[in-house]
């Protein structure tokens, strides 16, 4: 009896699994949380909301195309392609946003530094004028 149970367990662990090897990509894998549930029909003002809204529309079209494919291997490849494209697009977009923010921050720092230099120069000029006018 023990040998039969062990044999059955061994056969079960060796047999291949016939489950689906892929899952349909979900929008929340690629989109920041604050933009996941944007209304597809609303006319947004902010450029960032418009960007993610358009990406979502495009994503939905790609998913619909993959769903229409009947061959499981081709459908799986289609889903993987979507994952690759969307992941690259999100990473690129977020990197661009980070770069723009760094440029803005460095510009602000330069403005602050320039303002400090100009203020110190004005102070020096005003002090020198005071010395000349009043003979200090």
């Amino acid at each position: 009896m023990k040998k039969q149970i062990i044999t059955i367990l061994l056969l079960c662990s060796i047999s291949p699994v016939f489950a689906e090897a892929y899952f349909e990509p979900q929008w929340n894998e690629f989109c920041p949380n604050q933009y996941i549930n944007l209304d597809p029909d609303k006319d947004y003002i902010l450029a960032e909301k418009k960007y993610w809204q358009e990406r979502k529309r495009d994503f939905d079209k790609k998913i619909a195309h993959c769903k229409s494919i009947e061959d499981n291997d081709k459908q799986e490849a289609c889903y993987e392609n979507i994952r690759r494209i969307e992941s690259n697009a999100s990473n690129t977009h977020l990197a661009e946003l980070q770069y723009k923010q760094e440029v803005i921050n460095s510009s602000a720092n330069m403005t602050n530094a320039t303002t400090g230099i100009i203020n110190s120069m004005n102070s020096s000029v005003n002090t020198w004028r005071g010395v000349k006018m009043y003979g200090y």
Side-chain angles (χ1 to χ4, degrees), residues 58-116:
D58 187 48
F59 176 81
D60 289 341
K61 288 177 189 175
K62 291 175 188 172
I63 292 294
H65 169 72
C66 289
K67 284 182 178 180
S68 70
I69 298 173
E70 293 181 13
D71 182 2
N72 284 342
D73 290 336
K74 289 181 181 177
Q75 189 178 52
E76 182 179 353
C78 185
Y79 286 151
E80 286 305 312
N81 192 37
I82 288 175
R83 279 195 171 89
R84 184 181 46 77
I85 290 169
E86 294 298 327
S87 181
N88 288 341
S90 293
N91 291 338
T92 301
H93 181 71
L94 295 174
E96 286 173 355
L97 288 179
Q98 183 178 2
Y99 175 75
K100 287 177 183 177
Q101 188 60 46
E102 289 171 2
V103 168
I104 290 169
N105 290 343
S106 66
S107 296
N109 290 340
M110 290 296 289
T111 301
N112 291 339
T114 304
T115 302

Side-chain angles (χ1 to χ4, degrees), residues 3-4 6-7 9 11 13 15 17-18 33 42 45 56 61 72 75 77 83 96 105 110 116 119 122:
K3 289 182 182 183
Q4 291 173 341
I6 292 174
T7 306
L9 289 174
L11 289 174
S13 66
S15 66
V17 177
F18 295 103
N33 290 338
K42 187 173 179 178
I45 296 172
K56 172 70 164 121
K61 288 177 189 175
N72 284 342
Q75 189 178 52
R83 279 195 171 89
E96 286 173 355
N105 290 343
M110 290 296 289
N119 287 341
N122 284 338

Side-chain angles (χ1 to χ4, degrees), residues 30-48:
F30 314 105
C31 180
N33 290 338
Q34 65 265 34
Y35 303 116
I36 289 175
N37 296 316
L38 293 177
D39 184 353
D41 300 321
K42 187 173 179 178
D43 188 22
Y44 290 103
I45 296 172
L46 296 176
E48 193 65 11

